[in-house]
Amino acid sequence: MGTGCSGSDSPGDSSPKGPVSMEFWGWAPGYDKITAQWNAAHPDIKVTFKQIPSGAKGGYDQMTNAITAGKAPCLAQVAYSDIPSMLVKNALMDITPYASGDTGTYLDWAVAASSAGGKVYGIPVDTGPMALYYRIDLFKKFGIARPPTTWEEYAADAAAVHKADPSVAFGTAPQDAYDMSALTWQTGKSWFGTSGGSWKVAIDNPGTQQVATYWQGLKDRKLVMNNGNAWDPTFNKASEAGKVMTFVNASWAAAGIKGDLKDLAGKWAVAPMPTWASGDKASANSGGSATSVLTGCKTPEQAEQFAAFLSGDKEAIGTGITVGGLYPASKAGLDHPLLSQGDPYFGGQKIYDVFKQSAANTPSTWVAGPTFGQIEADYTDAIGKGGYAQATTVVQQKTIDKIKSLGLSVSGN
């Protein structure tokens, strides 16, 4: 593992003598500052950060093109959902020899999401525990005493609001694969599995169909608005007009709402994501990424050391929380002092208490598949053309076809 392309008897065989320089490509806010912190403390291992578009918006293409050209950076930000597809492209290095001592310090499911076949392909940085964002003032206006704890209560509250004022939407409808996957994750069902070297595709499973039926019902009754949230101009306009009361999304959405809806400070709060059964605590995750070492890196041991610093150093974690709104995947990071402070925008509420509970109750059953980019494009398109149930069936078959076209084995479908 000493070089990017060949193995050696000892992980340290090819350790360079003298100073090391590496590039790190990513898009998360705060990564430039964390890189500067690393450089100040590690003068012999210099890392240069390069801001690139998010993976889904061209970042991954830049990485794979650079690998092909022999000009790839050593380090790169890769979302958990995209690690399998990057592995299919042979873009990631196995860093198990260097990372095995660090993996126990991160949330188990995040380590699993950064690994494949018992090998480590990234150091988990952050997660996206799901929650319910809601308007305190509008709940009071419509006589709703507390945020709904179950999806049944959510639907009942939505119906009551619609009856009182049809121009006000209770929440927002799922728009794409990110929304549908997070909502399905909560049910304990996974879209993928592996068996004997083959992929099992199960996007059209009972959990997804439960989600599809539920949200289609709310959408058909016009109880939720048909667009996104927190960073969507339509949502922002509706929020400013008092026409939308909630949205379900990840911890990182707090930064979006604080940035886009500054005038609504003190009017938003955060509650646990509603559950399917009363008393259940199951939540879900949306987003989060790892720091991976790209194929061709000549200094993978030092690259892993930087990745571990970015994810595990207390000062680095603090920068990630403060600048980027990152919710740490590090177990120790979950006890960072910054996460116990009240947030002035949310009326002083300790919103990270909600996210911590969500992260602890995220099922470990989720398996990411090798073609998430295709799934995202196909789901968004299919939802726009028909209902959620039909879209789910369409995406199931398109995903099987796509995986087969990559020369990978698909079983049991």
Side-chain angles (χ1 to χ4, degrees), residues 169-235:
F170 191 69
T172 60
Q175 296 297 298
D176 53 25
Y178 291 101
D179 294 337
M180 292 298 290
S181 62
L183 292 165
T184 302
W185 192 330
Q186 185 188 31
T187 71
K189 304 294 184 184
S190 178
W191 281 359
F192 290 92
T194 55
S195 177
S198 290
W199 285 99
K200 166 87 174 171
V201 182
I203 295 171
D204 194 357
N205 68 54
T208 315
Q209 285 295 350
Q210 180 180 21
V211 168
T213 300
Y214 175 84
W215 287 97
Q216 193 66 51
L218 296 184
K219 197 171 171 180
D220 289 347
R221 292 158 64 195
K222 296 182 169 48
L223 305 185
V224 291
M225 64 188 299
N226 185 31
N227 54 277
N229 49 47
W231 45 92
D232 182 319
T234 307
F235 172 86

Side-chain angles (χ1 to χ4, degrees), residues 57 138 172 201 265 338 351 359 399:
K57 295 182 179 178
L138 295 181
T172 60
V201 182
L338 286 173
I351 61 173
T399 303

Side-chain angles (χ1 to χ4, degrees), residues 258 337-352:
K258 287 160 66 173
L338 286 173
L339 299 181
S340 63
Q341 297 178 4
D343 190 312
Y345 182 92
F346 291 94
Q349 181 188 2
K350 295 182 178 180
I351 61 173
Y352 285 103

Side-chain angles (χ1 to χ4, degrees), residues 240-264:
E240 289 162 350
K243 297 297 184 180
V244 60
M245 295 175 61
T246 75
F247 71 96
V248 179
N249 216 310
S251 54
W252 42 260
I257 200 167
K258 287 160 66 173
D260 288 353
L261 300 172
K262 294 182 177 66
D263 292 343
L264 295 179

Side-chain angles (χ1 to χ4, degrees), residues 15 21 57 69 146 163 180 245 248 270 276 278 310 325 330 347:
S15 292
S21 293
K57 295 182 179 178
R146 59 176 176 80
K163 184 177 181 180
M180 292 298 290
M245 295 175 61
V248 179
V270 185
W276 288 104
S278 180
L310 188 153
S330 157

